[in-house]
Amino acid sequence: MTAADRGGSTDGPAPRAHAGAVLAGGIIDALAAPPDEDAVLRDFVAFTRLLRNAGVPVTSDRTATYLRALREIDLASEVATYWAGRLTLCGDPDDVARYDHAFFAWFSSDPREQRMGRPAPPKPRAATIAALTPPPGQGQGDENDDTPELKVAASGEEVLRDRDIADLTISEREHIRRMLALLTPTPPRRRARRRRPNSRGEPDPRRTLRATLRHAGEIPGLSRKNRRERPRRVVILLDVSGSMAPYADALLRFAHVLTRRTPQAVETFTLGTRLTRVTRELRQRDPERALRDAGNTIPDWSGGTRLGEVLAAFLDRWGQRGVARRAVVVIFSDGWERGGTELLGEQMERLARLAHAVVWVNPHAGKRGYEPVQGGIAAALPHVDRLLAGHSLATLQELTEVLADA
């Protein structure tokens, strides 16, 4: 309809549309859909409002682009729907975690699933549908292949979980970092020495007697007490020598995850040619800042290894002062020792006497045909409670289970 049709004048320049009206018009155009799809698309608009409330700066033009992208995909495909929003609504790496949380919170609602005309499938976590390198021979060539994309992504994740971290590409390493951040390890627990009043536990004669005196000799009930549980300290000793360089970044991120879980109960040191305490740096919430500050603190990153001498320095300065006493000590190292192994064996014996448990994590232990015959690991092994592999995400998850039961 022109201005003349509406009864107005045709002279002069046409009025300039307001920027907000243009963006709103884009959304309206994107919403121009058959009646049965209109409700679904409006549902997605409501999802963008939820995303904005979650802290993602979703602008009007991004919303319009998002809706146009939805018109081009199969809305019954969860993976396609996920990526349509992630690629158009997220403008910063920090937005991804918020988007993942909002996506599953919104689309796991049964009524909304019914409105989308499909049953509610089980919802995987965010990391299970992130982009991965598909297995060879899958996801290529046949455009009419009806194989659900989710299976490809899930299969890729399972493969990545068992892959050696040293063999990953740059994008796969980035994915592993995000998957590590999703770990929720359970810290080991210990029983406190002091007993506290509790409705359960052993009888408390003193409290029972005092209560009886307050009630003129009548016993009001049997008081009880028990020991509470507290987090057991975890000490991480991370070898940052050159032979551990392919794993050092991922293992330091794993230490950050443990530290963030129980900040006051985790101590982290790096071992190389010297001992460096990085606990303070890893207590920062932002993993990138924590890793950057820790890397700036470590002077011997990718250098040599003097495990025996550095372990002796740790025990003299920190171990006997209480850090390692009754703690679970986790040593990430391949056991390559440049010096003599006698000193390492002696220090491991000292450590075993102080600690509640000693776990040695050797990335090479997960490789086929591995035998702990190297001088360093052979000297330390008699004083180790568990020898684990830490070369993949799956083995690091196994480590969290060992720590929870320690």
Side-chain angles (χ1 to χ4, degrees):
M1 180 182 294
T2 64
D5 296 334
R6 294 193 297 268
S9 175
T10 58
D11 297 333
R16 183 178 180 181
H18 191 272
V22 173
L23 295 176
I27 297 176
I28 293 173
D29 293 341
L31 281 171
D36 56 339
E37 298 181 7
D38 186 71
V40 177
L41 290 178
R42 292 187 185 281
D43 204 25
F44 283 106
V45 174
F47 167 65
T48 62
R49 289 196 293 269
L50 171 68
L51 202 60
R52 192 179 298 112
N53 293 334
V56 179
V58 179
T59 58
S60 300
D61 54 341
R62 285 185 181 178
T63 302
T65 305
Y66 174 50
L67 296 176
R68 291 192 182 94
L70 293 175
R71 297 291 303 276
E72 303 298 328
I73 65 172
D74 179 11
L75 294 180
S77 171
E78 182 174 6
V79 175
T81 306
Y82 169 84
W83 280 106
R86 177 166 166 173
L87 294 176
T88 57
L89 299 177
C90 298
D92 190 88
D94 294 338
D95 297 340
V96 175
R98 301 188 185 98
Y99 173 81
D100 290 348
H101 181 77
F103 181 85
F104 291 109
W106 182 263
F107 292 103
S108 62
S109 174
D110 291 341
R112 298 186 188 285
E113 296 288 350
Q114 295 172 3
R115 288 170 60 181
M116 294 176 70
R118 56 192 175 98
K123 299 297 180 183
R125 299 187 63 182
T128 63
I129 62 173
L132 294 172
T133 302
Q138 295 188 23
Q140 299 178 356
D142 189 3
E143 297 179 353
N144 298 324
D145 188 3
D146 295 331
T147 303
E149 298 179 32
L150 184 59
K151 290 184 178 180
V152 176
S155 176
E157 184 201 356
E158 292 301 321
V159 172
L160 189 61
R161 281 169 48 84
D162 295 322
R163 289 270 305 278
D164 193 320
I165 294 174
D167 299 332
L168 299 181
T169 63
I170 295 178
S171 60
E172 290 170 339
R173 285 175 180 271
E174 180 62 27
H175 193 86
I176 282 289
R177 292 172 182 172
R178 296 179 181 179
M179 295 173 73
L180 280 172
L182 296 176
L183 291 179
T184 55
T186 302
R189 310 287 293 181
R190 65 175 179 85
R191 297 186 66 184
R193 288 187 175 183
R194 292 185 177 181
R195 292 173 172 81
R196 300 290 184 183
N198 197 287
S199 59
R200 300 178 180 178
E202 60 187 271
D204 188 344
R206 292 186 178 181
R207 290 185 62 240
T208 302
L209 179 59
R210 287 196 293 269
T212 302
L213 294 176
R214 287 196 299 270
H215 290 79
E218 294 290 336
I219 301 177
L222 186 60
S223 300
R224 295 183 179 275
K225 59 182 178 181
N226 67 358
R227 292 180 178 178
R228 295 180 180 178
E229 287 191 342
R230 295 179 178 177
R232 183 181 293 279
R233 183 182 295 110
V234 176
V235 178
I236 298 175
L237 302 177
L238 174 58
D239 185 350
V240 293
S241 62
S243 59
M244 287 288 291
Y247 305 96
D249 180 81
L251 297 179
L252 201 57
R253 289 178 182 276
F254 179 78
H256 177 259
V257 171
L258 285 180
T259 304
R260 290 300 309 158
R261 190 69 172 170
T262 50
Q264 303 304 322
V266 178
E267 288 279 352
T268 303
F269 300 83
T270 61
L271 312 177
T273 56
R274 62 183 65 184
L275 177 71
T276 306
R277 181 172 181 259
V278 293
T279 302
R280 180 182 301 175
E281 288 75 11
L282 294 185
R283 283 177 180 169
Q284 301 180 81
R285 182 177 298 276
D286 185 355
E288 301 304 327
R289 178 177 298 178
L291 269 292
R292 184 184 62 247
D293 292 349
N296 294 333
T297 305
I298 302 170
D300 53 347
W301 187 277
S302 297
T305 314
R306 293 201 297 265
L307 286 178
E309 297 178 20
V310 178
L311 191 57
F314 165 74
L315 292 172
D316 293 340
R317 184 176 179 182
W318 297 94
Q320 293 186 344
R321 294 186 178 184
V323 171
R325 289 186 181 277
R326 294 183 294 277
V328 178
V329 180
V330 182
I331 302 176
F332 291 102
S333 176
D334 55 5
W336 289 100
E337 174 66 304
R338 287 188 174 182
T341 59
E342 294 182 1
L343 178 61
L344 177 59
E346 295 172 0
Q347 301 309 314
M348 286 299 299
E349 185 178 2
R350 289 179 61 194
L351 179 62
R353 287 198 300 266
L354 288 173
H356 173 74
V358 179
V359 180
W360 191 293
V361 181
N362 186 345
H364 300 303
K367 298 179 181 178
R368 183 176 300 176
Y370 170 78
E371 294 290 342
V373 296
Q374 297 81 12
I377 192 65
L381 204 55
H383 313 290
V384 172
D385 295 283
R386 292 287 300 272
L387 175 63
L388 300 175
H391 67 293
S392 65
L393 181 64
T395 55
L396 291 178
Q397 286 183 324
E398 180 186 359
L399 174 60
T400 63
E401 297 172 1
V402 171
L403 291 178
D405 297 334

